[in-house]
Amino acid sequence: MRASEIGKRLGVVVVIALLVGAGLSMPLHGGQLTTSDDSFSVPTHQPDAILATEPAETGSIAVDADGESKHVVVDVGHANDIERASLAPMIEALTSSDHSVSFYRGERQATLNDTLRTADAFVVVSPEEPYTAAQRAGLEAFADAGGRVLLAGEPPSQGSALSSLLGMSSMQSSPAPMTGLASSFGFAFGDAYVYNLESYDVNYRNVFATPTDTAAIGTEAGQVTVHEATTVQGGTPLLTTSDSTKLSSTRAADTYPVAARNDSVVTLGDASLLDREWVQRGDNEVFVSAVLEFLVSGDKDPGAPTSPDSPSSSGPSSPTRTP
């Protein structure tokens, strides 16, 4: 190649490089090249219009240590779909107030009724195995005798994402075990989750709820955040969402109860409230403290529920409670 041709080709390359460089340095507005002095804005990006608010994470759960020491039993004998560490805040709060906590691990070690006779309160979180008729009757007799019961559930899809407390996470979460047990006390857990597109805590599935009957749970908690909660029907509502909240199954906007109480039984439609990640969200720790106070404030008859073989036993108590 001759020197003149090489020079021409180099000149073309230089010109192209200059044009490309100039194009990259100038922003495009509406497909037109503009100068660097023009302002650049994105009309759809409006930080001031973002509705998500994140409540402060402060405080801790606490239980009154002035009362009588009580024995709280946590059920892990029904393939409960929750990590052990998630219960640590509840256990720490109870034990630091001189209450004792133990676990029911299944019939191989002791029958549920035998366990209940030494307990003052029983906690059930997201069970995946059903309770037998004898176990349900024992729990009803336990509650009728003044024992306190806490039932904490999750929407089915949420429960399946958690690891099993006993390493049985391969099992699929089902609302049936909790549904059968809850119905014995006049409650029903929903099979959908609540969400809110207008007012929420960072994510639209983190819904704000407020106490609706402070006398029933004894708390002055303000705004509570529930995480992918399901609805709870029956009893006296303790937490209710705002009227802009929707249900995933119907997309209908309404107020939904996500926690309730019926005599000696409290139900939570969001087991995450007990989790370390959520217990300090907003006023969650105030509400959870009230739930734990409820657990240790009962006055159960000694030895209840009685054994079916006991002469003093009158058989299973009436299984249905009036909502």
Side-chain angles (χ1 to χ4, degrees):
M1 181 180 295
R2 290 180 299 179
S4 58
E5 293 180 354
I6 294 175
K8 289 179 180 179
R9 293 187 180 187
L10 287 175
V12 171
V13 171
V14 171
V15 171
I16 292 175
L18 290 174
L19 289 175
V20 171
L24 291 176
S25 66
M26 291 185 293
L28 284 170
H29 280 187
Q32 301 297 323
L33 288 174
T34 64
T35 66
S36 58
D37 294 334
D38 294 336
S39 61
F40 181 78
S41 64
V42 180
T44 57
H45 180 61
Q46 302 291 337
D48 295 337
I50 295 177
L51 298 176
T53 56
E54 183 175 357
E57 296 186 27
T58 58
S60 60
I61 57 176
V63 181
D64 186 1
D66 296 335
E68 180 184 355
S69 177
K70 298 297 177 64
H71 180 202
V72 179
V73 177
V74 180
D75 183 19
V76 296
H78 292 84
N80 303 75
D81 197 1
I82 191 169
E83 294 180 350
R84 181 185 292 270
S86 67
L87 299 178
M90 178 185 72
I91 295 172
E92 291 171 0
L94 289 171
T95 55
S96 64
S97 301
D98 296 329
H99 301 289
S100 63
V101 179
S102 64
F103 296 90
Y104 168 70
R105 300 180 184 279
E107 300 285 329
R108 291 183 178 179
Q109 296 188 0
T111 66
L112 179 59
N113 282 359
D114 286 341
T115 302
L116 292 174
R117 290 185 191 103
T118 65
D120 296 294
F122 193 70
V123 177
V124 177
V125 180
S126 302
E128 290 190 336
E129 291 181 353
Y131 292 78
T132 66
Q135 290 176 333
R136 293 197 303 273
L139 277 167
E140 294 167 34
F142 175 77
D144 286 341
R148 296 300 174 88
V149 179
L150 172 61
L151 307 178
E154 295 274 1
S157 58
Q158 170 68 8
S160 62
L162 301 175
S163 299
S164 169
L165 183 62
L166 299 181
M168 303 175 70
S169 59
S170 59
M171 300 183 66
Q172 293 298 311
S173 178
S174 169
M178 183 63 92
T179 299
L181 179 59
S183 64
S184 299
F185 299 107
F187 291 104
F189 281 79
D191 57 2
Y193 64 85
V194 294
Y195 66 96
N196 195 316
L197 299 176
E198 297 181 12
S199 178
Y200 49 82
D201 177 358
V202 180
N203 186 290
Y204 71 101
R205 293 189 181 187
N206 304 335
V207 175
F208 296 128
T210 54
T212 50
D213 192 333
T214 57
I217 193 64
T219 178
E220 299 295 332
Q223 186 171 262
V224 175
T225 299
V226 293
H227 172 61
E228 296 188 347
T230 191
T231 57
V232 176
Q233 301 295 332
T236 301
L238 299 179
L239 283 179
T240 303
T241 66
S242 66
D243 57 7
S244 60
T245 304
K246 297 183 178 182
L247 196 61
S248 61
S249 58
T250 63
R251 298 184 180 180
D254 203 344
T255 57
Y256 293 99
V258 291
R261 177 183 176 180
N262 191 355
D263 296 331
S264 296
V265 184
V266 161
T267 55
L268 302 179
D270 175 27
S272 302
L273 283 169
L274 304 175
D275 193 291
R276 187 181 298 278
E277 179 181 357
W278 292 96
V279 74
Q280 291 184 324
R281 205 78 168 186
D283 280 343
N284 288 16
E285 80 279 1
V286 180
F287 179 77
V288 174
S289 296
V291 171
L292 298 188
E293 290 282 0
F294 159 82
L295 282 179
V296 299
S297 61
D299 188 17
K300 195 199 76 171
D301 298 337
T306 58
S307 169
D309 298 329
S310 172
S312 62
S313 173
S314 59
S317 60
S318 177
T320 304
R321 288 167 170 268
T322 303

